[in-house]
Structure formats: structure tokens, C-alpha cells
Amino acid sequence: MVLRLMGLSTVTTATRPPDSLKAKLVKELGGTYVDSMTEQISGEYDIVIEATGSPQVISEGGLRHIAPNGVYVLLGVYPSGGSLSGLGELMTNVVLNNKVIIGSVNAGIRHFEMALEHLRRAKDEFNNWPAKLITKRANLSNYQEAYTWTHDDIKTVLEITPS
């Protein structure tokens, strides 16, 4: 959504399963959906955003698809220990092709203000599309529902009302 708001015309998303709400929402915004369980992503991308927290995804996918002068953004939280296979070769490729790897934690007030502006614009420009991201609502009497995950869950709202 944010990439489309920023004017990017080509957005490819890898997720699963193919009939999931996430896949449908990607297609609704004009993005290309790739079923990561059955298809391999091919080609090079100027920007790759990795948000799974999986070291396997980094080494087998994302890093290999950054175009020269491209940017790789890590948004996931990765487990300690382990290793990335072929790390030396990957890092040499990053250096020789002027690629950038950055991490991000958006905790400042201006980031929240930007997010609110993105949501407002997306509501106006994409026919209230952000509302579709809220897939579950729970309250204090059934709060356990908020922690029960399915493939179609995107965002859960815990509603607290005064008694």
C-alpha cells in the first residue's frame, strides 16, 4: 500500500497460500502476487523488503534479487545463532554492486504521523482499502481470540469499552 502511494508502479509480493486474503489484497492494489510455496521469484528488484524474520528467506531469496544500486530493507526480527549459507559470496556481491542493506525500527512520533497520513491517503485513493486490513476484532471478554492466528489474519483490534 505504501509503495503504491509512493508512486511505485511495479510491486511484487511473495506470500502464501494463493487464495489467502493477503494475496487478494495485493492483487486489488495492482500488485503481482507470487505463491512462495510453489513459485520462485525471479529477476532483480530496486527495493526488496524482507519482513518474515527468516534467515532462510534472506539467503535463498531476497539478497540474490537486489539489483545493482538496490536497497534491501530488513523489517523482521531474526533469531540469534545459525548462519547464512554462502554469506561471503552474497556480501561480495553486495559490495561489488553497490547494494545497501538497512534495518528499520519505526518508533519515532514522526513515523506514526507518517503512517496515519499513509492510511488517510490510502482510504481516499484506494476506496477505504486500509479497513480491509482489520480482519478480527476482540474485546476483553474474548481477548483469547486476538491471539488465535489463521492464514487470513492480518490485523486484530482489541476493543476496550468503558463499563
Side-chain angles (χ1 to χ4, degrees):
M1 176 190 83
V2 173
L3 296 174
R4 296 299 262 182
L5 287 171
M6 294 172 62
L8 290 160
S9 59
T10 303
V11 177
T12 301
T13 301
T15 187
R16 60 181 203 273
D19 60 345
S20 71
L21 177 60
K22 290 178 184 180
K24 291 173 187 170
L25 289 174
V26 166
K27 292 175 186 175
E28 190 174 307
L29 285 181
T32 301
Y33 165 79
V34 175
D35 180 355
S36 60
M37 294 301 287
T38 61
E39 302 173 63
Q40 291 289 324
I41 291 179
S42 60
E44 292 184 325
Y45 297 85
D46 294 324
I47 301 170
V48 174
I49 301 171
E50 200 297 301
T52 67
S54 168
Q56 181 180 355
V57 171
I58 294 172
S59 64
E60 293 179 6
L63 275 175
R64 300 185 192 286
H65 294 288
I66 308 170
N69 303 311
V71 178
Y72 194 65
V73 182
L74 299 173
L75 298 179
V77 178
Y78 305 87
S80 59
S83 65
L84 294 175
S85 61
L87 184 60
E89 176 188 342
L90 288 172
M91 291 301 104
T92 298
N93 180 281
V94 166
V95 171
L96 293 178
N97 288 290
N98 198 37
K99 299 176 182 182
V100 175
I101 301 173
I102 62 170
S104 176
V105 177
N106 298 327
I109 187 70
R110 70 183 172 94
H111 296 107
F112 288 104
E113 291 167 346
M114 284 174 28
L116 289 173
E117 178 60 16
H118 287 141
L119 289 169
R120 185 202 58 75
R121 282 187 54 211
K123 180 180 178 185
D124 294 343
E125 295 176 32
F126 303 139
N127 195 27
N128 202 26
W129 190 85
K132 297 174 185 178
L133 300 175
I134 299 172
T135 53
K136 187 185 299 182
R137 294 179 183 273
N139 57 42
L140 290 179
S141 65
N142 70 341
Y143 73 92
Q144 301 91 339
E145 297 268 331
Y147 299 101
T148 306
W149 182 82
T150 70
H151 278 289
D152 277 338
D153 287 339
I154 298 176
K155 295 293 178 192
T156 299
V157 173
L158 182 59
E159 297 175 330
I160 301 173
T161 55
S163 48

